[in-house]
Amino acid sequence: MEKLLDRFHLLDIKNPTHPSMFVEEKEYDILILTLPFKEKELKSEAQSFVLTSNSYYYFDRQQEAFVDVKSMENIYEILNDKTETTMKVVASIHESIDWMEEKLYEKKAVIPFTKYWLGHKKDLSRIQRMLNLSEKVLQEFIQGYLKEEDFLTTHFRDIEEHLQRTNRSVSLAIDKLGNLYSFYTSRNNERMNKTIYLLTILSAIFLPLNLIVGYFGINTQGLPLSTLDNGSLWVIVLLIFGALGMASALWAYHKKFW
């Protein structure tokens, strides 16, 4: 089989991460369909086939050799199995995003949110790129073999529909991630605004108190209340009333405008 193939085509077939493609030659056709799978991290593996007038060959990466799969049905079984694996990967990402969404809406911490968000965003973008190309290549393959007697049109159309549905699911997950990030940012901004608002109130209350304390702390003669025995007590009362008066003014402003 390797002697039949062009040297560059053989290199493409042996490349485990080669992008999906469909090539028609006089003596053979090549179908490479690259789909994602996940172990600890997202990976991709090219499923490579050589189709001749006599038989159909699958490149087994473990044996590093071509295996005669004999029928179009076996090609379908291999691709269908890999497609189901891809669908499970996308479904697991959806579950993780749903978990993040529930935690955020319940106002519970998702730690670290940015790590989860960026990881899913990166994986979904890669999956979408692979699926877009895989859909196109599979359509070309189906169109090229529609007239073949042993071609399983319904079966491969089913794989095509699964890829399209999975791709739509990926787009939905990306949109949901965008909404979650907007909600997460808005919630953080709201918390920061509340913190700044509280600090502003405290500053407004203690600013006049600092002014009073600073005034009575001047090291000069003739200060008010300095000749009284209980002058310090009167200053403390003045500070309390100043704080209460400022707090009342802020409360009235809050009720009127908020």
Side-chain angles (χ1 to χ4, degrees):
M1 172 52 64
E2 293 190 8
K3 295 180 180 179
L4 178 66
L5 296 172
D6 179 85
R7 179 168 63 90
F8 293 105
H9 285 162
L10 184 60
L11 290 175
D12 292 341
I13 290 171
K14 290 185 176 183
N15 183 358
T17 59
H18 193 281
S20 300
M21 74 173 190
F22 177 60
V23 177
E24 295 180 287
E25 296 289 341
K26 291 182 178 180
E27 297 181 352
Y28 58 85
D29 296 337
I30 297 175
L31 171 64
I32 298 178
L33 209 64
T34 304
L35 296 173
F37 68 96
K38 196 164 188 176
E39 294 175 344
K40 291 184 178 180
E41 59 182 17
L42 188 72
K43 297 181 180 180
S44 62
E45 185 178 50
Q47 309 302 318
S48 304
F49 301 90
V50 178
L51 303 95
T52 67
S53 57
N54 298 323
S55 191
Y56 308 116
Y57 299 90
Y58 171 65
F59 184 72
D60 190 322
R61 301 197 179 278
Q62 293 183 347
Q63 300 179 17
E64 288 290 324
F66 286 94
V67 177
D68 189 352
V69 295
K70 302 183 183 303
S71 68
M72 191 66 73
E73 184 174 358
N74 289 327
I75 295 179
Y76 161 76
E77 293 293 342
I78 294 172
L79 293 181
N80 186 59
D81 180 64
K82 300 301 179 182
T83 301
E84 288 181 356
T85 300
T86 299
M87 294 173 70
K88 291 178 181 177
V89 170
V90 175
S92 67
I93 294 177
H94 262 285
E95 290 178 1
S96 180
I97 294 174
D98 290 340
W99 172 81
M100 292 170 60
E101 186 177 37
E102 289 178 5
K103 291 293 183 182
L104 285 176
Y105 290 162
E106 292 173 0
K107 297 184 179 180
K108 295 180 180 179
V110 180
I111 301 174
F113 176 84
T114 307
K115 179 181 178 181
Y116 281 113
W117 189 88
L118 285 176
H120 290 327
K121 184 74 172 179
K122 180 184 71 174
D123 288 347
L124 289 170
S125 298
R126 289 183 59 197
I127 292 172
Q128 190 172 53
R129 289 196 297 270
M130 282 187 274
L131 290 180
N132 285 338
L133 184 57
S134 296
E135 278 185 52
K136 180 181 177 182
V137 168
L138 189 60
Q139 288 172 1
E140 293 174 356
F141 170 68
I142 292 173
Q143 290 298 322
Y145 276 76
L146 274 177
K147 297 180 180 179
E148 298 292 331
E149 294 183 1
D150 64 338
F151 187 67
L152 306 173
T153 305
T154 304
H155 293 63
F156 285 99
R157 288 291 187 192
D158 184 61
I159 293 179
E160 181 185 11
E161 189 274 331
H162 286 169
L163 291 178
Q164 291 173 347
R165 177 151 45 93
T166 305
N167 205 358
R168 290 194 298 270
S169 182
V170 169
S171 298
L172 178 62
I174 291 174
D175 291 339
K176 186 177 287 188
L177 276 180
N179 294 334
L180 282 182
Y181 187 79
S182 297
F183 178 78
Y184 175 77
T185 304
S186 299
R187 194 178 72 172
N188 283 352
N189 289 340
E190 183 181 357
R191 287 178 176 175
M192 186 172 293
N193 290 338
K194 287 181 178 180
T195 302
I196 293 174
Y197 179 68
L198 179 61
L199 292 175
T200 302
I201 290 176
L202 293 176
S203 299
I205 292 174
F206 284 98
L207 184 61
L209 303 185
N210 289 333
L211 178 62
I212 295 173
V213 172
Y215 175 74
F216 282 97
I218 298 174
N219 191 20
T220 58
Q221 299 296 322
L223 287 174
L225 308 176
S226 61
T227 58
L228 299 178
D229 293 338
N230 56 354
S232 296
L233 180 62
W234 283 105
V235 172
I236 293 173
V237 171
L238 181 62
L239 290 173
I240 293 174
F241 275 99
L244 291 175
M246 201 64 195
S248 299
L250 290 171
W251 177 252
Y253 174 82
H254 178 82
K255 290 185 66 177
K256 183 176 180 179
F257 294 101
W258 293 78

